Amino acid sequence: MTKNHLEIIEEHESCVRSYVRSFPTVFTQARGYKMWNEDGKEYIDFFSGAGALNYGHNEPNMKKKLVEYILDDGITHSLDKATEAKSEFLHKFHEVILQPRNLDYKVMFPGPTGTNTVESALKLARKVTGRTEVISFTNGFHGMTIGALSVTGNSMKRKGAGIPLNHSVTMPYDQFVNESDEMDTLAYLERFLDDNGSGVSIPAAIILETVQGEGGLNAARFEWLNKLDAICKKWGILLIIDDVQAGVGRTGTFFSFEPANIKPDIVCLSKSIGGYGLPLALTLINPELDKWKPGEHNGTFRGNNHAFITATEALSYWEDPKFEKSIQDKAVKITDFLTNMVEKYPEMKGFVKGRGFMQGISSDIDGFSEKVCENAFNHGLIMETAGGHDQVFKLFPAINIAEEGLEKGFELIERSIKDTIKQMKLEKETVTN
Amino acid sequence: MTKNHLEIIEEHESCVRSYVRSFPTVFTQARGYKMWNEDGKEYIDFFSGAGALNYGHNEPNMKKKLVEYILDDGITHSLDKATEAKSEFLHKFHEVILQPRNLDYKVMFPGPTGTNTVESALKLARKVTGRTEVISFTNGFHGMTIGALSVTGNSMKRKGAGIPLNHSVTMPYDQFVNESDEMDTLAYLERFLDDNGSGVSIPAAIILETVQGEGGLNAARFEWLNKLDAICKKWGILLIIDDVQAGVGRTGTFFSFEPANIKPDIVCLSKSIGGYGLPLALTLINPELDKWKPGEHNGTFRGNNHAFITATEALSYWEDPKFEKSIQDKAVKITDFLTNMVEKYPEMKGFVKGRGFMQGISSDIDGFSEKVCENAFNHGLIMETAGGHDQVFKLFPAINIAEEGLEKGFELIERSIKDTIKQMKLEKETVTN
Amino acid sequence: MTKNHLEIIEEHESCVRSYVRSFPTVFTQARGYKMWNEDGKEYIDFFSGAGALNYGHNEPNMKKKLVEYILDDGITHSLDKATEAKSEFLHKFHEVILQPRNLDYKVMFPGPTGTNTVESALKLARKVTGRTEVISFTNGFHGMTIGALSVTGNSMKRKGAGIPLNHSVTMPYDQFVNESDEMDTLAYLERFLDDNGSGVSIPAAIILETVQGEGGLNAARFEWLNKLDAICKKWGILLIIDDVQAGVGRTGTFFSFEPANIKPDIVCLSKSIGGYGLPLALTLINPELDKWKPGEHNGTFRGNNHAFITATEALSYWEDPKFEKSIQDKAVKITDFLTNMVEKYPEMKGFVKGRGFMQGISSDIDGFSEKVCENAFNHGLIMETAGGHDQVFKLFPAINIAEEGLEKGFELIERSIKDTIKQMKLEKETVTN
Amino acid sequence: MTKNHLEIIEEHESCVRSYVRSFPTVFTQARGYKMWNEDGKEYIDFFSGAGALNYGHNEPNMKKKLVEYILDDGITHSLDKATEAKSEFLHKFHEVILQPRNLDYKVMFPGPTGTNTVESALKLARKVTGRTEVISFTNGFHGMTIGALSVTGNSMKRKGAGIPLNHSVTMPYDQFVNESDEMDTLAYLERFLDDNGSGVSIPAAIILETVQGEGGLNAARFEWLNKLDAICKKWGILLIIDDVQAGVGRTGTFFSFEPANIKPDIVCLSKSIGGYGLPLALTLINPELDKWKPGEHNGTFRGNNHAFITATEALSYWEDPKFEKSIQDKAVKITDFLTNMVEKYPEMKGFVKGRGFMQGISSDIDGFSEKVCENAFNHGLIMETAGGHDQVFKLFPAINIAEEGLEKGFELIERSIKDTIKQMKLEKETVTN
């Protein structure tokens, strides 16, 4: 059975499987920004586990700590009993992340996945306010369990619920109605809150991503976030930032909302918070809202100590302020590269989207971005699409990637764009659109 | 910071934390059925991570395989891309578990927690049948996210939702109305299905645990399960067995439903399926029902390769039929011990509950079982309560525990019972009640 | 167009029409218990507008008052402005009905239909208690709007909603599980309330009919009602009696619940409260619960003054205690007649159901009762079926019907039973079943 | 008891009563546009039963027919059995209203109130499309039962439900976001339908009033209605026009949507359809959508024959095309009068709202319109406010009102405005705003 792993998977795994369809090869090893398949073929990873591998694969310091811990028979599974590993993580998270940012959140371990932290945030917001509705935004993505799915925009995913999804109201995200114009979607939101005949009641919370990863790399403007924050304060609505994908450095700062100068009531973290790709999630709670009864929300894997070990080690990156700077500098390179691509290849009718290490190109040509990713895979680059029509190809390299890796990735992307233009027989238009 | 871990936790962790309150010590190491705290004090673990550590802590074979894999830079996080580790797990799970039991389930990886597999099962059942309602049972426990919580009985947990929980109907579990009598709760259920004026429509699915772990170690009789299965078939209702806690050997067979000779349409597995206490969950699906669209349900940590490695190794236990036999033999010892306790200490007004390695004593004396667990902790035994009023103390040793460990545990439990009787000043009644 | 009215109706009226299918003739006139069709054929009415014509058709005293009022240009439509007609109704209702029965309800006019009073009752119960769930019973019928439909049992009607019906829990009505045995459905209900893991929360209210008219003439025993009342008090649950069909004398007393000696928190009245078959509904509210804000529930036709005029006149019947006595005496005759039928014609496998002037025979033979009604119509008697499978034929004469009319109806029913037995070729069984 | 009717009402009627608070007098008689109280004081009625008395009070032709019918012992109550009165109404409604307008609706009698026709429309739309969501608009008002309330905007009314209101999405009505600007709320709606990540699924139906009566006399522009109709067609969404208040001539044509040249799939009628203020409602259904099962929606008072008699007579008005013309001519007078008032009394910061015989003035001064209505009442004019903050005073005279009555009403309104300005000490601003 050393061969034919793909057949085994096809035979035994449910047809719900998806990425194996886009990347039909069997991966065996990985280090940093590189992955290898069973035949030893090397791939550059511009996907990073959809944001769960911000520090790359099998980062050596974390790896060392993890192996030592295992060899030592450190506690592996602890529910929410006290362990040294957990306490050390809490302490370091406070010292390195919260305190320097003037944040004093309580940390909840809600179960180790993104959808779990979102569910816990929604439950708490409803419990604390006594209200039932939550406002979410178009093209938001928050998870697959019924509570989180109710605030997720994607219609295919929503239909998967098999029941009507309730207790949520969807509002237009920044620039939703018309990307190029300035019509302020928040004026709209405010009218709904303001008019007692609008049919929209004051919600328990507003939940959003500052950059919508799955939804198509839509990045809210800082002033929009600021204004939203003011609206929440004005109406006594809790502000929940789902930083599962955009957090932990993905946008260039630890939390994605830092440059907007806001302080959400609840923050959802998962994906890269474990550092090594191990399941972990946190719900950060304004201490005044920490009104849970003991065990009112729980979960078997809320204490994943292997992830505490790697998460703690990962925080070391943030002790040095140069780290954030380095991400931001490389992010500029990504922007430059993408802007260049858009200008150089007008045939793809593309425009740059996103922010920091979550940028990409949205193409108005149906199927273009999917084809680029397919070509990239053949050239040895792993990259996925985003958006309701897969209209965006999305660069998600590790935030600690070496320059060399970045450049190599760019090169393969340009080749993939060129291939795609050729394959789709696209021509430069002479008229402007 | 090497000391005062408990203070750190109290300061920084949300007040939702719970087990740290019952077991207020800091654990650092564990092996097999033993745990040690930071002062080197040894504990016998009759809790086993609420069923997530059926093979004990840090089982040496799994540990070896896991360390090798990590050192080798094996893929850690893969979403649902193909990896060797995943394929090997799928293959062995099929060979060792499914095929010998004449089962041909497709395997879905729904995200690594129990609530995730339950949510995926409910979604699929609703999608496939086009119906919205699901029948669950009194005192069932299925998870903390809104979909799973809707089919969970516990009122404190339900209130935590902050919204009315809908699309579910709760029916009486076996012997719910009166434990000592034979009133058949399924006659009741059938009347509701049969009468078109009952207000209960034919549901998409019926979901249940064969032994309710959190609900108080209520074990459904095999004939009851059989009859329920027949009802499902008669009405075209999907049968979902949530084997998250009762599965993976906990009741003496790999699946808890084997002795009832039923073949559920969907099976939920998590907790001990990873073997080592690492987050993993499976949803097993009758192939005819595997109607998912690619990616219709997904999750960042659905491909946890560390857990695949340990899960694969854990399956080796099941290659030898003696393993099941050994669990069952020890389970008899547990029954004998508990029966003896009930008879020897009538003051506690106890009766034995549960099945296999999920047995315990329910005491009619308010607070008794909680006190037993508290005393046990002080004597160096970790054990928790179950049931809506914590009326049950629950023995959950590792299923591969050495005889010696089992005996030692029994000894500490008896001591704790005796202490409790003394502390609560209970006396033997001379009259029968 | 003086002829062919049925064609006009078929052409222009929606296919939702129903009674015109069972009684395919065009009615033109009616008086007391008699109706005439366009050809002058006379019918005896044992249907009474499904309980809206308890005083028969076009009762002469009410008719006189109504015509005078109209000729006088009395206010017809007033919303809830004050009118003399309304004030006089309120006064007389208090004097003649409430005060002598030691009841001090506040009267709400919720819109002139049964479903409206039920909706208002449910809204008030939820508002006052702050709880969302309502318990209703199997085979209960409360109306067709979404709130009332949610507490209605009939599956065909429920499916008509096109959405899942929520916020309600259906419990077994008296003798639901097994008509001949004594299994107490309230023991069952109490277990659900009592066990905090049952999945059923303490509801805002319990709503029921004391005799289920549409549901098959199921009459709850008085001791069952009494015990239910005690349960409501114990748990702080509001008791809502829907007396829309069973009230206004239909069971032999003004309110159907009088003989059970209970005092519901809220009572729903409609159908015969207007006296003359004119739309009117009342919601009677325990004064302590009358927490509505002005206009929080409203409706265009809540002040139907024509109905106030006839309703006031109708109350005169109740000034003389002999009236109730006369209903009860005739009800005995109905019971005797039906009992006799069941014994005389064992072929129909019938048993008597119901109470007072809402009795009938339920036949275990599929289609029997429908056929009896069909034959009765051909013989000049109007009578309908009830129950989820139309298994009951239902005698609903006017409560002031002359002896002669009753006897004539009995005669036609016996003829219809005999015809049906012959048509269905039923034979007396010699063996008992 | 001939005196003190108001005390009786206060003592016995629920505190939910509302109009009696604004108009604290006891009405006894009415004719045409006049009402009299118990002291013989005359009032001019510019309220018309909130649109239920479009033909004025006790219209003599209808009165005559009704009295004859009653004296003749015509059928009063018939559920949906066939009666001559019903057939004649159906025939004439087809001949006089539908056919000349090229409409071929099937007529459903859903129970005699506005909320009933709305509930039936929503149920049918969901049933026919298999979808659950319905889009409604800000400040829409559709009724008080749970289904209709779910699509009603008013927050006070919604809170009265005591449960979260689901399966509905509220969208901005024409000019909702900013009354003076041209931001097209339908562009917004379309974006939501168009983007598969918007969180808004394609609904079963869109329901709206063409002029929102309760919501503040907001009149949708015809081109907006037209565009909305096109959107419905494009997406396969059913268009439901709730013409309960705006229909039956209130805007100058029989149906309010006629000038927009649209043909809704379903139309809701009630209020003035009965002609005389008697409870009646119709649901008009595109024949292709008439997929009801017999009795799937029903109601005790769906066949109110007194209302059929007056409704049939009322249709005679529409046989003469001059009638519509006369309404429209008088509507121009109303517009002129109101425009004049706004200009003449800038102190009230008013602007004219509405269309046809449902026009009024919205004042930006808090409490102004309420005060105008109060003064008007004292001067002998009955008129109510509309809008979420009662910011509009609303002229709702009978559509057949004599010129004289109209003029008299205008005079009293102007006096009331002047009084109010004086009482509130409002001054003309010299600066423009």
Side-chain angles (χ1 to χ4, degrees), chain A residues 132-133 138-139 153-155 158 164 166-167 170-172 176-177 183 188 191-192 195-200 388-389, chain D residues 132-133 138-139 152-155 158 164 166-167 170-172 176-177 183 188 191-192 195-200 388-389:
Chain A
T132 55
E133 302 306 288
T138 53
N139 288 300
N154 185 286
S155 66
R158 290 176 76 86
N166 290 319
H167 309 302
T170 180
M171 285 281 162
F176 171 70
V177 183
M183 182 162 96
Y188 180 90
R191 270 296 283 137
F192 270 89
D195 192 315
N196 67 6
S198 73
V200 173
H389 301 282
Chain D
T132 56
E133 303 307 286
T138 52
N139 289 299
T152 289
N154 186 285
S155 67
R158 289 178 75 85
N166 291 319
H167 309 302
T170 180
M171 285 283 161
F176 172 69
V177 183
M183 183 164 95
Y188 182 91
R191 270 298 281 137
F192 270 89
D195 192 315
N196 67 5
S198 72
V200 173
H389 301 281

Side-chain angles (χ1 to χ4, degrees), chain C residues 67-84:
Chain C
V67 168
E68 278 170 16
Y69 188 78
I70 296 172
L71 290 176
D72 240 29
D73 280 332
I75 302 289
T76 300
H77 177 278
S78 61
L79 289 148
D80 63 3
K81 295 199 291 280
T83 66
E84 204 175 23

Side-chain angles (χ1 to χ4, degrees), chain A residues 98 101-106 121 124-125 205-210 225-226 228-230 232-233 237-244 254-269 283-289:
Chain A
L98 296 184
R101 288 166 180 78
N102 249 318
L103 298 167
D104 61 349
Y105 294 123
K106 288 276 183 177
L124 184 62
I206 292 181
I207 186 167
L208 77 156
E209 306 144 285
T210 64
L225 290 170
N226 240 285
L228 181 64
D229 181 53
C232 284
K233 283 196 174 56
I237 300 164
L238 302 185
L239 179 62
I240 304 173
I241 296 292
D242 177 346
D243 237 10
V244 168
F254 187 84
F255 294 111
S256 72
F257 51 81
E258 294 177 43
N261 238 332
I262 60 174
K263 203 171 157 176
D265 297 289
I266 305 180
V267 181
C268 299
L269 287 179
T283 310
L284 306 181
I285 302 168
N286 174 339
E288 289 167 34
L289 304 174

Side-chain angles (χ1 to χ4, degrees), chain B residues 139 155 170 172 188 191 196-198, chain C residues 139 155 170 176 188 196-198:
Chain B
N139 288 299
S155 66
T170 179
Y188 180 90
R191 270 296 284 137
N196 68 5
S198 73
Chain C
N139 288 300
S155 66
T170 180
F176 172 69
Y188 183 91
N196 69 4
S198 74

Side-chain angles (χ1 to χ4, degrees), chain B residues 103-121:
Chain B
L103 299 167
D104 61 347
Y105 294 123
K106 289 275 184 178
V107 178
M108 173 183 181
F109 301 99
T113 69
T115 201
N116 246 308
T117 165
V118 168
E119 293 262 349
S120 71

